[in-house]
Amino acid sequence: AADISVTVCQVMALRAAKNAGFHVPKETIDRSIDYVKRSQNADGGFRYMLESGASGFGRSAAALVALNSAGIYDGPEIRKGIDYLMQFCPQPGLVQRETYFEYGHYYAVQTMWHVGGESWNRWYPAIRDELIARQRDDGSWPPSICIDYASSMCLLVLQLPNNLLPIFQR
């Protein structure tokens, strides 16, 4: 059975393949867009599978990146998704215990980068400050899965404004 996490990875791989000059059938992209859009709940968040209903922070951020990777940068799904994600924007003094914290913020910061404007200007400084506050004296971050994963994902989040990755160069 399909799920949103696997779909996101596949869409990003297809985008990378297309950027590298490989032919990616439009029908394939259209079907992935349709699946992601059908995974959105009324609250603007996205569910894990079409058959299971709860929205979640990480998968919603990932779903929006999948739509962006497929060339969807605006529209009702994007706007509703951004509104859903903004309730998870880090706030000073408020410790949020999202499941898959690093995964969610890895995708959320990409989403906000694509959206730009006020969403980016609010999100990036908030997550930057949150991650710096969480960083340990040895340079690592406390693990939700393992130290290597947490630290790698946090570093990816923090580097985004530098536009070092080709897909994020403006």
Side-chain angles (χ1 to χ4, degrees), residues 87-165:
Q87 69 184 315
F88 297 95
C89 187
Q91 299 175 36
L94 177 64
V95 177
Q96 296 181 352
R97 301 277 184 212
E98 299 100 9
T99 305
Y100 308 111
F101 175 85
E102 296 90 359
Y103 172 91
H105 284 288
Y106 167 75
Y107 284 114
V109 76
Q110 291 179 57
T111 297
M112 299 307 169
W113 184 90
H114 280 292
V115 171
E118 180 58 33
S119 297
W120 170 255
N121 291 336
R122 183 171 165 213
W123 195 279
Y124 184 76
I127 191 56
R128 178 200 60 214
D129 294 349
E130 174 81 15
L131 293 179
I132 290 170
R134 288 180 180 222
Q135 190 175 25
R136 295 175 169 174
D137 290 341
D138 69 0
S140 70
W141 277 266
S144 60
I145 295 173
C146 73
I147 289 173
D148 296 334
Y149 174 80
S151 298
S152 298
M153 295 297 271
C154 291
L155 289 169
L156 286 169
V157 168
L158 290 170
Q159 70 75 40
L160 196 68
N162 297 321
N163 299 311
L164 296 175
L165 300 174

Side-chain angles (χ1 to χ4, degrees), residues 6 12-13 25 27 36-37 40 44 52 58 60 65 81 137 141 143 169:
V6 171
M12 291 181 78
E27 177 188 339
V36 173
K37 285 182 175 183
Q40 191 169 36
S52 56
S60 296
V65 168
D137 290 341
W141 277 266
Q169 291 175 352

